[in-house]
């Protein structure tokens, strides 16, 4: 008995199991076409997750920028640092996710 990666969830499973205990993918009679579908589904799911994270990152930048613009917090105060952190972390997440999306294609 060897351990292999499940084609769908990529978790380690026994090579002799008939279905994945983690995602319940039926591993009996799995054709090349089924494997391709599973791979596409997995890529689409990952892309959707990255896009959701990007929306949150953009929201963080907008909230940080808006608060700084309208409320003008005192420099070196806690709200000021919170805004700067929100903008910087949002930008960082956005850039990292753009690179991830480029590699997912
Ligand atoms: Zn699985």
């Amino acid at each position: 008995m060897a351990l292999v990666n499940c084609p769908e969830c990529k978790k380690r499973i026994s090579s002799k199991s008939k279905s994945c205990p983690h995602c319940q993918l039926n591993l009996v009679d799995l054709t090349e076409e089924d494997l391709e579908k599973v791979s596409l589904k997995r890529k689409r799911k990952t892309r959707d997750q990255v896009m959701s994270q990007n929306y949150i990152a953009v929201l963080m930048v907008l909230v940080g920028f808006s608060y700084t613009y309208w409320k003008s917090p005192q420099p070196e105060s806690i709200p000021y640092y919170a805004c700067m952190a929100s903008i910087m972390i949002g930008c960082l997440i956005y850039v990292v996710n753009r690179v991830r999306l480029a590699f997912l294609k």
Side-chain angles (χ1 to χ4, degrees):
M1 187 183 89
L3 286 178
V4 294
N5 288 336
C6 167
E8 184 157 328
C9 66
K10 299 289 180 198
K11 288 184 179 157
R12 305 285 281 169
I13 55 172
S14 162
S15 59
K16 292 185 177 174
S17 58
K18 291 181 168 73
S19 70
C20 174
H22 307 288
C23 67
Q24 277 71 47
L25 176 72
N26 183 13
L27 299 168
V28 181
D29 303 328
L30 207 57
T31 64
E32 201 64 36
E33 193 179 316
D34 293 334
L35 282 175
E36 203 169 299
K37 273 185 196 168
V38 165
S39 172
L40 276 176
K41 190 175 143 192
R42 187 177 157 75
K43 273 186 184 174
R44 199 174 305 130
K45 190 179 168 193
T46 306
R47 194 166 37 235
D48 289 348
Q49 285 174 340
V50 171
M51 288 305 289
S52 299
Q53 288 173 6
N54 261 359
Y55 289 127
I56 293 169
V58 168
L59 195 68
M60 284 174 74
V61 172
L62 285 177
V63 166
F65 184 77
S66 301
Y67 190 86
T68 307
Y69 183 79
W70 275 296
K71 298 279 183 177
S72 303
Q74 288 289 318
E76 299 186 21
S77 66
I78 290 173
Y80 177 81
Y81 285 128
C83 288
M84 293 302 123
S86 177
I87 293 169
M88 281 187 234
I89 292 168
C91 286
L92 187 71
I93 291 171
Y94 185 81
V95 168
V96 167
N97 279 343
R98 292 310 299 183
V99 172
R100 283 178 70 197
L101 281 175
F103 281 104
L104 278 174
K105 284 179 183 167

Short mmCIF file of all heavy atoms in Angstrom, two decimals, residues 39-95:
data_model
loop_
_atom_site.label_atom_id
_atom_site.label_comp_id
_atom_site.label_asym_id
_atom_site.label_seq_id
_atom_site.Cartn_x
_atom_site.Cartn_y
_atom_site.Cartn_z
N SER A 39 -9.14 18.68 -12.36
CA SER A 39 -8.05 19.67 -12.34
C SER A 39 -8.58 21.07 -12.67
O SER A 39 -8.21 22.05 -11.99
CB SER A 39 -6.99 19.24 -13.36
OG SER A 39 -6.03 20.25 -13.50
N LEU A 40 -9.46 21.16 -13.67
CA LEU A 40 -10.05 22.46 -14.03
C LEU A 40 -10.88 23.02 -12.88
O LEU A 40 -10.81 24.21 -12.57
CB LEU A 40 -10.92 22.31 -15.27
CG LEU A 40 -10.19 22.38 -16.61
CD1 LEU A 40 -11.16 22.11 -17.74
CD2 LEU A 40 -9.54 23.74 -16.79
N LYS A 41 -11.68 22.14 -12.25
CA LYS A 41 -12.53 22.56 -11.14
C LYS A 41 -11.68 23.09 -9.99
O LYS A 41 -11.99 24.12 -9.38
CB LYS A 41 -13.35 21.33 -10.68
CG LYS A 41 -14.45 21.63 -9.70
CD LYS A 41 -15.24 20.37 -9.45
CE LYS A 41 -15.70 20.28 -8.03
NZ LYS A 41 -16.22 18.96 -7.67
N ARG A 42 -10.58 22.39 -9.73
CA ARG A 42 -9.67 22.78 -8.65
C ARG A 42 -9.04 24.15 -8.95
O ARG A 42 -8.97 25.01 -8.08
CB ARG A 42 -8.58 21.71 -8.51
CG ARG A 42 -7.67 21.89 -7.35
CD ARG A 42 -6.69 20.74 -7.28
NE ARG A 42 -5.53 21.13 -6.55
CZ ARG A 42 -5.49 21.26 -5.22
NH1 ARG A 42 -6.56 20.99 -4.52
NH2 ARG A 42 -4.40 21.65 -4.62
N LYS A 43 -8.61 24.35 -10.21
CA LYS A 43 -8.01 25.63 -10.59
C LYS A 43 -9.02 26.76 -10.47
O LYS A 43 -8.70 27.85 -10.00
CB LYS A 43 -7.51 25.57 -12.04
CG LYS A 43 -6.13 25.04 -12.18
CD LYS A 43 -5.66 25.15 -13.61
CE LYS A 43 -4.30 24.52 -13.77
NZ LYS A 43 -3.88 24.48 -15.18
N ARG A 44 -10.26 26.50 -10.90
CA ARG A 44 -11.31 27.52 -10.84
C ARG A 44 -11.59 27.91 -9.39
O ARG A 44 -11.74 29.08 -9.06
CB ARG A 44 -12.58 26.98 -11.51
CG ARG A 44 -13.55 28.09 -11.91
CD ARG A 44 -14.74 27.55 -12.70
NE ARG A 44 -14.35 26.77 -13.85
CZ ARG A 44 -14.81 25.55 -14.15
NH1 ARG A 44 -15.66 24.96 -13.35
NH2 ARG A 44 -14.42 24.91 -15.22
N LYS A 45 -11.63 26.90 -8.52
CA LYS A 45 -11.89 27.15 -7.10
C LYS A 45 -10.78 28.01 -6.49
O LYS A 45 -11.05 28.98 -5.77
CB LYS A 45 -11.99 25.80 -6.36
CG LYS A 45 -12.48 25.91 -4.94
CD LYS A 45 -12.57 24.54 -4.31
CE LYS A 45 -12.78 24.64 -2.84
NZ LYS A 45 -12.57 23.36 -2.15
N THR A 46 -9.52 27.67 -6.80
CA THR A 46 -8.39 28.45 -6.29
C THR A 46 -8.44 29.87 -6.81
O THR A 46 -8.23 30.83 -6.06
CB THR A 46 -7.05 27.79 -6.72
OG1 THR A 46 -7.05 26.43 -6.31
CG2 THR A 46 -5.87 28.49 -6.10
N ARG A 47 -8.76 30.03 -8.11
CA ARG A 47 -8.84 31.37 -8.71
C ARG A 47 -9.94 32.20 -8.02
O ARG A 47 -9.76 33.37 -7.74
CB ARG A 47 -9.10 31.26 -10.21
CG ARG A 47 -8.86 32.54 -10.94
CD ARG A 47 -8.77 32.40 -12.45
NE ARG A 47 -9.66 31.42 -13.01
CZ ARG A 47 -9.28 30.40 -13.79
NH1 ARG A 47 -8.03 30.24 -14.08
NH2 ARG A 47 -10.16 29.55 -14.26
N ASP A 48 -11.09 31.57 -7.74
CA ASP A 48 -12.17 32.27 -7.05
C ASP A 48 -11.75 32.73 -5.65
O ASP A 48 -12.08 33.84 -5.23
CB ASP A 48 -13.41 31.37 -6.93
CG ASP A 48 -14.10 31.17 -8.28
OD1 ASP A 48 -13.75 31.90 -9.24
OD2 ASP A 48 -14.96 30.28 -8.37
N GLN A 49 -11.00 31.85 -4.94
CA GLN A 49 -10.53 32.22 -3.60
C GLN A 49 -9.58 33.41 -3.67
O GLN A 49 -9.67 34.34 -2.87
CB GLN A 49 -9.81 31.04 -2.95
CG GLN A 49 -10.74 29.96 -2.45
CD GLN A 49 -10.00 28.73 -1.94
OE1 GLN A 49 -8.84 28.52 -2.26
NE2 GLN A 49 -10.69 27.93 -1.15
N VAL A 50 -8.66 33.38 -4.66
CA VAL A 50 -7.69 34.48 -4.81
C VAL A 50 -8.42 35.78 -5.15
O VAL A 50 -8.10 36.84 -4.62
CB VAL A 50 -6.63 34.12 -5.89
CG1 VAL A 50 -5.76 35.32 -6.21
CG2 VAL A 50 -5.77 32.96 -5.42
N MET A 51 -9.44 35.69 -6.02
CA MET A 51 -10.21 36.89 -6.39
C MET A 51 -10.94 37.46 -5.17
O MET A 51 -10.99 38.68 -4.98
CB MET A 51 -11.21 36.57 -7.50
CG MET A 51 -10.57 36.35 -8.85
SD MET A 51 -9.54 37.71 -9.42
CE MET A 51 -10.77 38.93 -9.77
N SER A 52 -11.50 36.58 -4.33
CA SER A 52 -12.17 37.05 -3.11
C SER A 52 -11.19 37.77 -2.19
O SER A 52 -11.51 38.82 -1.63
CB SER A 52 -12.78 35.87 -2.35
OG SER A 52 -13.73 35.23 -3.14
N GLN A 53 -9.99 37.21 -2.06
CA GLN A 53 -8.96 37.85 -1.23
C GLN A 53 -8.59 39.21 -1.81
O GLN A 53 -8.33 40.16 -1.07
CB GLN A 53 -7.72 36.97 -1.14
CG GLN A 53 -7.90 35.74 -0.30
CD GLN A 53 -6.70 34.80 -0.37
OE1 GLN A 53 -5.68 35.13 -0.97
NE2 GLN A 53 -6.84 33.63 0.22
N ASN A 54 -8.58 39.30 -3.15
CA ASN A 54 -8.25 40.57 -3.79
C ASN A 54 -9.30 41.64 -3.49
O ASN A 54 -8.96 42.80 -3.29
CB ASN A 54 -8.11 40.39 -5.29
CG ASN A 54 -6.67 40.27 -5.71
OD1 ASN A 54 -5.78 40.33 -4.87
ND2 ASN A 54 -6.44 40.10 -6.99
N TYR A 55 -10.58 41.25 -3.47
CA TYR A 55 -11.63 42.22 -3.14
C TYR A 55 -11.43 42.74 -1.72
O TYR A 55 -11.58 43.93 -1.47
CB TYR A 55 -13.02 41.59 -3.28
CG TYR A 55 -13.40 41.32 -4.72
CD1 TYR A 55 -13.82 40.07 -5.13
CD2 TYR A 55 -13.33 42.33 -5.67
CE1 TYR A 55 -14.16 39.81 -6.45
CE2 TYR A 55 -13.66 42.10 -6.99
CZ TYR A 55 -14.08 40.84 -7.38
OH TYR A 55 -14.40 40.59 -8.68
N ILE A 56 -11.08 41.85 -0.80
CA ILE A 56 -10.85 42.26 0.58
C ILE A 56 -9.64 43.20 0.64
O ILE A 56 -9.66 44.22 1.34
CB ILE A 56 -10.65 41.03 1.49
CG1 ILE A 56 -11.96 40.24 1.57
CG2 ILE A 56 -10.19 41.43 2.88
CD1 ILE A 56 -11.85 38.88 2.20
N ALA A 57 -8.57 42.88 -0.13
CA ALA A 57 -7.36 43.72 -0.14
C ALA A 57 -7.69 45.12 -0.65
O ALA A 57 -7.26 46.12 -0.07
CB ALA A 57 -6.28 43.06 -1.00
N VAL A 58 -8.47 45.20 -1.73
CA VAL A 58 -8.84 46.51 -2.29
C VAL A 58 -9.69 47.27 -1.28
O VAL A 58 -9.51 48.48 -1.08
CB VAL A 58 -9.59 46.33 -3.64
CG1 VAL A 58 -10.23 47.63 -4.09
CG2 VAL A 58 -8.64 45.80 -4.71
N LEU A 59 -10.59 46.56 -0.59
CA LEU A 59 -11.43 47.19 0.43
C LEU A 59 -10.57 47.76 1.56
O LEU A 59 -10.82 48.88 2.03
CB LEU A 59 -12.44 46.16 0.97
CG LEU A 59 -13.58 46.72 1.77
CD1 LEU A 59 -14.51 47.53 0.86
CD2 LEU A 59 -14.37 45.59 2.42
N MET A 60 -9.55 46.99 1.99
CA MET A 60 -8.64 47.46 3.05
C MET A 60 -7.95 48.76 2.63
O MET A 60 -7.85 49.70 3.43
CB MET A 60 -7.57 46.39 3.35
CG MET A 60 -8.07 45.23 4.16
SD MET A 60 -6.80 43.96 4.31
CE MET A 60 -5.71 44.74 5.50
N VAL A 61 -7.48 48.81 1.38
CA VAL A 61 -6.79 50.01 0.88
C VAL A 61 -7.77 51.18 0.85
O VAL A 61 -7.46 52.28 1.31
CB VAL A 61 -6.19 49.76 -0.53
CG1 VAL A 61 -5.66 51.05 -1.12
CG2 VAL A 61 -5.09 48.72 -0.45
N LEU A 62 -9.00 50.94 0.33
CA LEU A 62 -9.99 52.01 0.23
C LEU A 62 -10.39 52.54 1.60
O LEU A 62 -10.50 53.77 1.78
CB LEU A 62 -11.23 51.51 -0.52
CG LEU A 62 -11.07 51.36 -2.03
CD1 LEU A 62 -12.34 50.80 -2.64
CD2 LEU A 62 -10.73 52.70 -2.66
N VAL A 63 -10.61 51.64 2.56
CA VAL A 63 -11.01 52.07 3.91
C VAL A 63 -9.88 52.88 4.55
O VAL A 63 -10.12 53.96 5.10
CB VAL A 63 -11.39 50.85 4.79
CG1 VAL A 63 -11.47 51.22 6.26
CG2 VAL A 63 -12.71 50.26 4.32
N GLY A 64 -8.64 52.38 4.45
CA GLY A 64 -7.49 53.09 5.03
C GLY A 64 -7.31 54.45 4.40
O GLY A 64 -7.11 55.45 5.10
N PHE A 65 -7.42 54.51 3.08
CA PHE A 65 -7.24 55.77 2.36
C PHE A 65 -8.37 56.75 2.68
O PHE A 65 -8.13 57.93 2.94
CB PHE A 65 -7.16 55.50 0.86
CG PHE A 65 -6.88 56.72 0.05
CD1 PHE A 65 -5.59 57.26 -0.01
CD2 PHE A 65 -7.89 57.37 -0.62
CE1 PHE A 65 -5.33 58.39 -0.74
CE2 PHE A 65 -7.64 58.51 -1.36
CZ PHE A 65 -6.36 59.04 -1.41
N SER A 66 -9.62 56.26 2.65
CA SER A 66 -10.78 57.12 2.92
C SER A 66 -10.72 57.73 4.31
O SER A 66 -10.96 58.92 4.48
CB SER A 66 -12.09 56.32 2.78
OG SER A 66 -12.19 55.80 1.50
N TYR A 67 -10.39 56.89 5.30
CA TYR A 67 -10.31 57.39 6.68
C TYR A 67 -9.22 58.46 6.78
O TYR A 67 -9.43 59.51 7.40
CB TYR A 67 -10.04 56.24 7.65
CG TYR A 67 -10.19 56.65 9.10
CD1 TYR A 67 -11.44 56.60 9.72
CD2 TYR A 67 -9.10 57.09 9.84
CE1 TYR A 67 -11.58 56.99 11.04
CE2 TYR A 67 -9.23 57.48 11.16
CZ TYR A 67 -10.48 57.43 11.76
OH TYR A 67 -10.62 57.82 13.05
N THR A 68 -8.07 58.20 6.17
CA THR A 68 -6.97 59.18 6.20
C THR A 68 -7.38 60.47 5.52
O THR A 68 -7.10 61.57 6.00
CB THR A 68 -5.72 58.60 5.50
OG1 THR A 68 -5.42 57.34 6.07
CG2 THR A 68 -4.52 59.50 5.66
N TYR A 69 -8.10 60.36 4.40
CA TYR A 69 -8.50 61.54 3.63
C TYR A 69 -9.54 62.38 4.37
O TYR A 69 -9.40 63.60 4.47
CB TYR A 69 -9.05 61.09 2.27
CG TYR A 69 -9.42 62.23 1.35
CD1 TYR A 69 -8.44 62.91 0.65
CD2 TYR A 69 -10.74 62.61 1.20
CE1 TYR A 69 -8.76 63.96 -0.20
CE2 TYR A 69 -11.08 63.66 0.35
CZ TYR A 69 -10.09 64.33 -0.34
OH TYR A 69 -10.42 65.35 -1.16
N TRP A 70 -10.59 61.73 4.91
CA TRP A 70 -11.69 62.50 5.52
C TRP A 70 -11.48 62.85 6.97
O TRP A 70 -11.88 63.91 7.42
CB TRP A 70 -13.01 61.74 5.35
CG TRP A 70 -13.62 62.04 4.00
CD1 TRP A 70 -14.06 63.25 3.57
CD2 TRP A 70 -13.82 61.13 2.92
NE1 TRP A 70 -14.52 63.14 2.28
CE2 TRP A 70 -14.40 61.87 1.85
CE3 TRP A 70 -13.58 59.77 2.73
CZ2 TRP A 70 -14.73 61.29 0.64
CZ3 TRP A 70 -13.91 59.20 1.53
CH2 TRP A 70 -14.47 59.96 0.49
N LYS A 71 -10.86 61.98 7.73
CA LYS A 71 -10.70 62.24 9.16
C LYS A 71 -9.35 62.84 9.51
O LYS A 71 -9.17 63.33 10.63
CB LYS A 71 -10.89 60.93 9.96
CG LYS A 71 -12.28 60.31 9.82
CD LYS A 71 -13.27 61.00 10.72
CE LYS A 71 -14.62 60.31 10.60
NZ LYS A 71 -15.62 60.87 11.50
N SER A 72 -8.39 62.80 8.59
CA SER A 72 -7.04 63.34 8.83
C SER A 72 -6.52 63.01 10.23
O SER A 72 -6.35 63.92 11.05
CB SER A 72 -7.01 64.85 8.62
OG SER A 72 -7.46 65.18 7.33
N PRO A 73 -6.27 61.75 10.54
CA PRO A 73 -5.79 61.42 11.89
C PRO A 73 -4.41 62.02 12.14
O PRO A 73 -3.63 62.24 11.21
CB PRO A 73 -5.71 59.88 11.88
CG PRO A 73 -5.63 59.50 10.44
CD PRO A 73 -6.33 60.57 9.67
N GLN A 74 -4.15 62.36 13.41
CA GLN A 74 -2.87 62.95 13.80
C GLN A 74 -1.74 61.99 13.43
O GLN A 74 -1.84 60.79 13.70
CB GLN A 74 -2.84 63.15 15.33
CG GLN A 74 -3.71 64.27 15.82
CD GLN A 74 -3.15 65.64 15.46
OE1 GLN A 74 -1.95 65.87 15.56
NE2 GLN A 74 -4.03 66.53 15.01
N PRO A 75 -0.67 62.50 12.78
CA PRO A 75 0.47 61.63 12.49
C PRO A 75 1.01 61.00 13.78
O PRO A 75 1.01 61.65 14.83
CB PRO A 75 1.50 62.57 11.87
CG PRO A 75 0.69 63.70 11.33
CD PRO A 75 -0.48 63.84 12.26
N GLU A 76 1.45 59.77 13.68
CA GLU A 76 1.99 58.99 14.80
C GLU A 76 0.95 58.69 15.87
O GLU A 76 1.29 58.43 17.02
CB GLU A 76 3.22 59.66 15.40
CG GLU A 76 4.34 59.78 14.37
CD GLU A 76 5.65 60.30 14.92
OE1 GLU A 76 5.87 60.21 16.14
OE2 GLU A 76 6.45 60.79 14.12
N SER A 77 -0.34 58.74 15.51
CA SER A 77 -1.38 58.29 16.44
C SER A 77 -1.82 56.88 16.03
O SER A 77 -1.47 56.42 14.94
CB SER A 77 -2.58 59.24 16.38
OG SER A 77 -3.21 59.16 15.11
N ILE A 78 -2.57 56.22 16.89
CA ILE A 78 -2.98 54.84 16.60
C ILE A 78 -3.86 54.77 15.34
O ILE A 78 -3.61 53.92 14.49
CB ILE A 78 -3.67 54.22 17.84
CG1 ILE A 78 -2.63 53.99 18.94
CG2 ILE A 78 -4.35 52.89 17.49
CD1 ILE A 78 -3.18 53.53 20.26
N PRO A 79 -4.87 55.67 15.16
CA PRO A 79 -5.65 55.60 13.92
C PRO A 79 -4.80 55.81 12.67
O PRO A 79 -5.04 55.17 11.65
CB PRO A 79 -6.68 56.74 14.07
CG PRO A 79 -6.79 56.96 15.52
CD PRO A 79 -5.43 56.67 16.08
N TYR A 80 -3.79 56.68 12.76
CA TYR A 80 -2.91 56.94 11.63
C TYR A 80 -2.15 55.66 11.26
O TYR A 80 -2.11 55.26 10.09
CB TYR A 80 -1.93 58.06 11.98
CG TYR A 80 -0.91 58.36 10.92
CD1 TYR A 80 -1.25 59.16 9.82
CD2 TYR A 80 0.38 57.85 11.01
CE1 TYR A 80 -0.30 59.42 8.83
CE2 TYR A 80 1.31 58.11 10.02
CZ TYR A 80 0.97 58.90 8.94
OH TYR A 80 1.90 59.16 7.97
N TYR A 81 -1.57 55.00 12.27
CA TYR A 81 -0.82 53.77 12.01
C TYR A 81 -1.75 52.66 11.50
O TYR A 81 -1.37 51.87 10.65
CB TYR A 81 -0.07 53.30 13.26
CG TYR A 81 1.17 54.12 13.55
CD1 TYR A 81 1.39 54.69 14.79
CD2 TYR A 81 2.11 54.33 12.54
CE1 TYR A 81 2.51 55.45 15.04
CE2 TYR A 81 3.25 55.10 12.78
CZ TYR A 81 3.44 55.65 14.04
OH TYR A 81 4.57 56.40 14.28
N ALA A 82 -2.98 52.62 12.04
CA ALA A 82 -3.94 51.60 11.59
C ALA A 82 -4.27 51.80 10.11
O ALA A 82 -4.33 50.83 9.35
CB ALA A 82 -5.21 51.66 12.43
N CYS A 83 -4.47 53.06 9.71
CA CYS A 83 -4.75 53.36 8.29
C CYS A 83 -3.57 52.98 7.41
O CYS A 83 -3.75 52.36 6.36
CB CYS A 83 -5.07 54.85 8.11
SG CYS A 83 -6.65 55.31 8.77
N MET A 84 -2.36 53.38 7.82
CA MET A 84 -1.17 53.06 7.02
C MET A 84 -0.98 51.55 6.91
O MET A 84 -0.68 51.03 5.83
CB MET A 84 0.09 53.70 7.62
CG MET A 84 0.10 55.21 7.57
SD MET A 84 -0.07 55.83 5.88
CE MET A 84 -1.50 56.85 6.04
N ALA A 85 -1.21 50.83 8.02
CA ALA A 85 -1.07 49.37 8.01
C ALA A 85 -2.11 48.76 7.08
O ALA A 85 -1.81 47.85 6.30
CB ALA A 85 -1.22 48.81 9.43
N SER A 86 -3.35 49.25 7.14
CA SER A 86 -4.42 48.74 6.29
C SER A 86 -4.08 48.94 4.81
O SER A 86 -4.24 48.03 4.00
CB SER A 86 -5.72 49.45 6.65
OG SER A 86 -6.75 49.03 5.80
N ILE A 87 -3.57 50.13 4.48
CA ILE A 87 -3.20 50.42 3.08
C ILE A 87 -2.04 49.53 2.63
O ILE A 87 -2.10 48.91 1.57
CB ILE A 87 -2.84 51.92 2.92
CG1 ILE A 87 -4.08 52.79 3.14
CG2 ILE A 87 -2.22 52.18 1.55
CD1 ILE A 87 -3.80 54.28 3.26
N MET A 88 -1.01 49.44 3.46
CA MET A 88 0.17 48.66 3.07
C MET A 88 -0.13 47.17 2.97
O MET A 88 0.29 46.50 2.01
CB MET A 88 1.31 48.90 4.06
CG MET A 88 2.03 50.21 3.82
SD MET A 88 3.46 50.31 4.87
CE MET A 88 3.15 51.85 5.68
N ILE A 89 -0.85 46.64 3.95
CA ILE A 89 -1.17 45.20 3.92
C ILE A 89 -2.09 44.90 2.74
O ILE A 89 -1.90 43.91 2.03
CB ILE A 89 -1.80 44.75 5.27
CG1 ILE A 89 -0.75 44.82 6.38
CG2 ILE A 89 -2.35 43.33 5.16
CD1 ILE A 89 -1.30 44.67 7.78
N GLY A 90 -3.07 45.79 2.50
CA GLY A 90 -3.96 45.61 1.35
C GLY A 90 -3.20 45.61 0.04
O GLY A 90 -3.43 44.75 -0.81
N CYS A 91 -2.26 46.54 -0.13
CA CYS A 91 -1.44 46.60 -1.35
C CYS A 91 -0.60 45.34 -1.50
O CYS A 91 -0.50 44.77 -2.60
CB CYS A 91 -0.51 47.82 -1.33
SG CYS A 91 -1.37 49.37 -1.63
N LEU A 92 0.00 44.91 -0.39
CA LEU A 92 0.85 43.72 -0.43
C LEU A 92 0.04 42.48 -0.84
O LEU A 92 0.46 41.72 -1.72
CB LEU A 92 1.49 43.51 0.94
CG LEU A 92 2.54 42.40 1.02
CD1 LEU A 92 3.80 42.84 0.27
CD2 LEU A 92 2.87 42.08 2.46
N ILE A 93 -1.13 42.30 -0.21
CA ILE A 93 -1.98 41.15 -0.55
C ILE A 93 -2.38 41.21 -2.02
O ILE A 93 -2.36 40.21 -2.73
CB ILE A 93 -3.23 41.11 0.37
CG1 ILE A 93 -2.83 40.77 1.80
CG2 ILE A 93 -4.24 40.08 -0.15
CD1 ILE A 93 -3.96 40.92 2.81
N TYR A 94 -2.72 42.42 -2.49
CA TYR A 94 -3.15 42.58 -3.87
C TYR A 94 -2.03 42.18 -4.85
O TYR A 94 -2.26 41.42 -5.78
CB TYR A 94 -3.59 44.03 -4.12
CG TYR A 94 -4.16 44.25 -5.50
CD1 TYR A 94 -5.48 43.90 -5.78
CD2 TYR A 94 -3.39 44.75 -6.53
CE1 TYR A 94 -6.01 44.06 -7.04
CE2 TYR A 94 -3.91 44.92 -7.80
CZ TYR A 94 -5.22 44.58 -8.05
OH TYR A 94 -5.73 44.73 -9.31
N VAL A 95 -0.82 42.68 -4.60
CA VAL A 95 0.31 42.39 -5.50
C VAL A 95 0.62 40.88 -5.49
O VAL A 95 0.79 40.27 -6.55
CB VAL A 95 1.55 43.22 -5.09
CG1 VAL A 95 2.79 42.74 -5.81
CG2 VAL A 95 1.31 44.69 -5.39
#
